[in-house]
Amino acid sequence: MFQSLTFRGGVHPPGSKEITANKEIEALHPRGDLVYPMSQHIGAPCVSLVKKGDKVLSGQKIADSEAFVSAPVLSSVSGTVKDIGMRMTIPGSFEPCVIVENDGLFKCGSALSPHEDFHLLEPKECVKIIREAGIVGMGGATFPTHVKLSPPPGKNIRWVIVNGVECEPFLNCDNRLMLERPEPILGGLEICLRLFPEAEGVIAIEANKPEAIERMQKENFGRELPPSGKSIRIMPHEVKYPQGAEKMLIYTVTGREIPPGTLPADVGCLVLNVQTLFHIWMAVIEGIPVMERIVSVTGDAVAKPGNFLVPLGISVRELIDAAGGFTEEPAKLLSGGPMMGLSMRSLDVPVTKGTSGILALTARSAPQLEESNCIRCARCVDACPMGLVPSSLDRAARLRDYVEFEAMGGMNCIECGSCTYRCPARRYLTQTCRNGKAGVTVARKRAEEVKKTAERTGETK
């Protein structure tokens, strides 16, 4: 019996999780150079703190920014800075990167110290450690965690919600972490709840992961949070995509909706991924910053699919090699899952903090279908969890009518892919909505620049 509410819209794509659900996490050591993009998070990109020829240590900060909304980059190996320059990243764009030649010794140089008892730390000290550890939303959003844990004054946080839903088909990295390392997840949540003593801790898991639910419940049994004596709740959720989207998760746990233009903190909520909590525990208790993450390598084009613990900066090609390579040339190669994943142009790109999976599909499972004209069936409207009209947004975006796109609420699209999945005409609805949002953003920047120029030249007088 589900304890949660359900949200409007949504879809039920095949889960395809059985491919890697029972594959234990396998640690992978890098062979080649490690490539660290300066922007692995939402916010201001980092600037390199090292130069070519410098020696670096594992856990050493190699890039940072003075901006509040940013997160430092740390080396996952010891070695020598081989180059600082432009390299291709997963989206296919070229970005500034630090390239480190691995010496294979993994000499530790973390500036963080372990703390056996986090209760002895002031809340601000915990947040500072989390910032220095480079922790971001590891579910893929990559929003800096220290910013999320620093809501504006006056915001009363009543729920800290742990996202263990992992609703994206094929992926199992969060599922395996809950099965194999539940203690640091619960410990990380305890640290966060100490920052918000009035909040309740809720761990949300979809019902298609019964072993993870049982494992977390067993580990959580009898746990009380000093000094309040509160307990953490494990909350099974209906299997429905996009259950793990932040707005959907907040509604199904609390019944509260996030109005457009507001943040989860405005309705008393914080949402953190299970891998994020794992890294919070590792940073605060063990003194280990974010240097690695779990990645599911899956799909019917992969010879030996699995879940791998890999150092950040490792090449995706090394991941594919570790999974036995391809059984045949994939027709579709994605970073992430089939609903929200990014198409990849090359395997010679680095794994970053937001890389949850590599999905390689054959032409049999991912046929290339041509889009046709909209038949006005409104299935996209039924599927949209945000209550939008994707077919109308699609038309406005293709016409580059960004005023109309914005007026219809296009900026509220969460790009979950539900509309595209349900469209019988195979319209590229998600992609056009993404383009429409980018068009609005560019138009806003241009309008702001025109306004600033006018103010400078006195044309507004």
Side-chain angles (χ1 to χ4, degrees):
M1 183 67 70
F2 299 117
Q3 304 170 25
S4 63
L5 301 169
T6 188
F7 58 90
R8 64 188 169 199
V11 293
H12 295 86
S16 302
K17 295 199 179 264
E18 66 281 359
I19 300 174
T20 57
N22 296 319
K23 304 285 187 182
E24 293 184 2
I25 299 168
E26 179 182 346
L28 180 61
H29 294 288
R31 300 191 310 269
D33 297 339
L34 286 298
V35 178
Y36 304 97
M38 296 293 93
S39 184
Q40 302 188 35
H41 52 267
I42 290 176
C46 291
V47 176
S48 173
L49 302 176
V50 295
K51 61 183 185 299
K52 185 176 179 179
D54 282 354
K55 299 291 184 183
V56 298
L57 298 172
S58 177
Q60 178 182 332
K61 190 193 295 185
I62 58 174
D64 203 352
S65 166
E66 294 183 354
F68 179 56
V69 184
S70 186
V73 177
L74 301 103
S75 180
S76 56
V77 298
S78 58
T80 305
V81 177
K82 189 174 181 179
D83 195 12
I84 298 173
M86 305 297 283
R87 294 291 187 279
M88 182 185 287
T89 58
I90 280 179
S93 56
F94 284 78
E95 300 176 19
C97 296
V98 172
I99 298 92
V100 174
E101 185 176 26
N102 179 19
D103 62 12
L105 301 176
F106 298 95
K107 293 180 180 176
C108 182
S110 171
L112 302 182
S113 300
H115 298 86
E116 188 174 342
D117 185 356
F118 67 85
H119 294 94
L120 301 177
L121 294 170
E122 292 294 326
K124 285 185 178 179
E125 291 180 88
C126 286
V127 175
K128 183 179 180 182
I129 292 170
I130 291 166
R131 196 269 175 200
E132 290 301 298
I135 301 174
V136 302
M138 304 296 280
T142 68
F143 190 77
T145 302
H146 70 278
V147 179
K148 187 173 280 190
L149 295 176
S150 307
K155 304 298 180 186
N156 180 23
I157 301 302
R158 293 184 53 192
W159 292 275
V160 176
I161 302 171
V162 181
N163 189 350
V165 169
E166 199 168 48
C167 61
E168 183 76 40
F170 286 93
L171 304 185
N172 270 299
C173 50
D174 292 349
N175 180 31
R176 290 308 312 181
L177 184 64
M178 289 187 285
L179 286 170
E180 298 181 37
R181 296 298 306 276
E183 314 92 340
I185 297 171
L186 288 162
L189 178 54
E190 282 194 38
I191 292 172
C192 294
L193 289 172
R194 184 164 180 270
L195 304 179
F196 306 101
E198 296 180 13
E200 176 190 12
V202 180
I203 300 179
I205 309 173
E206 268 193 339
N208 60 355
K209 305 173 188 65
E211 293 179 339
I213 293 172
E214 183 180 353
R215 186 78 175 89
M216 294 300 295
Q217 286 176 333
K218 182 179 179 182
E219 192 65 29
N220 187 48
F221 181 76
R223 181 184 294 257
E224 290 187 353
L225 309 181
S228 66
K230 285 184 176 181
S231 59
I232 293 171
R233 186 157 50 107
I234 312 298
M235 192 172 182
H237 271 54
E238 175 189 6
V239 180
K240 183 181 178 184
Y241 182 87
Q243 187 71 259
E246 196 169 62
K247 293 182 178 180
M248 280 73 251
L249 197 55
I250 287 172
Y251 178 74
T252 54
V253 171
T254 71
R256 295 190 172 195
E257 294 191 13
I258 304 177
T262 62
L263 299 171
D266 293 318
V267 295
C269 295
L270 291 179
V271 180
L272 298 164
N273 176 264
V274 291
Q275 287 203 58
T276 306
L277 287 171
F278 174 85
H279 284 290
I280 288 174
W281 175 262
M282 296 300 289
V284 175
I285 304 301
E286 304 289 344
I288 300 175
V290 177
M291 298 184 289
E292 58 189 16
R293 69 155 297 136
I294 305 166
V295 181
S296 294
V297 181
T298 183
D300 63 345
V302 178
K304 298 177 181 177
N307 301 295
F308 297 91
L309 178 64
V310 301
L312 297 177
I314 190 173
S315 165
V316 171
R317 185 177 295 281
E318 287 193 46
L319 256 176
I320 295 298
D321 289 344
F326 296 131
T327 55
E328 59 184 271
E329 190 66 23
K332 182 175 283 190
L333 182 65
L334 299 171
S335 170
M339 300 298 287
M340 295 189 71
L342 296 173
S343 293
M344 296 177 61
R345 294 167 50 192
S346 171
L347 295 177
D348 298 314
V349 292
V351 170
T352 62
K353 296 175 184 177
T355 308
S356 56
I358 302 296
L359 176 62
L361 299 173
T362 66
R364 294 183 297 282
S365 57
Q368 303 294 316
L369 301 173
E370 294 292 328
E371 67 172 348
S372 57
N373 292 330
C374 174
I375 60 174
R376 301 183 184 277
C377 67
R379 291 182 188 177
C380 60
V381 181
D382 294 337
C384 180
M386 294 301 295
L388 303 174
V389 183
S391 55
S392 297
L393 294 173
D394 173 63
R395 184 176 63 252
R398 290 177 193 250
L399 293 173
R400 300 186 179 182
D401 186 347
Y402 301 127
V403 174
E404 179 68 10
F405 181 88
E406 189 172 8
M408 291 189 293
M411 297 305 282
N412 295 323
C413 172
I414 60 173
E415 303 175 22
C416 65
S418 296
C419 54
T420 302
Y421 178 77
R422 284 294 305 276
C423 179
R426 307 294 178 185
R427 302 283 290 173
Y428 306 147
L429 299 172
T430 307
Q431 184 58 50
T432 53
C433 280
R434 190 175 293 143
N435 295 343
K437 290 170 67 176
V440 171
T441 300
V442 171
R444 285 177 177 176
K445 286 182 179 178
R446 286 176 179 167
E448 187 65 23
E449 289 172 0
V450 170
K451 181 181 177 182
K452 287 181 179 178
T453 302
E455 289 174 348
R456 277 200 308 272
T457 57
E459 291 179 4
T460 55
K461 294 180 180 178

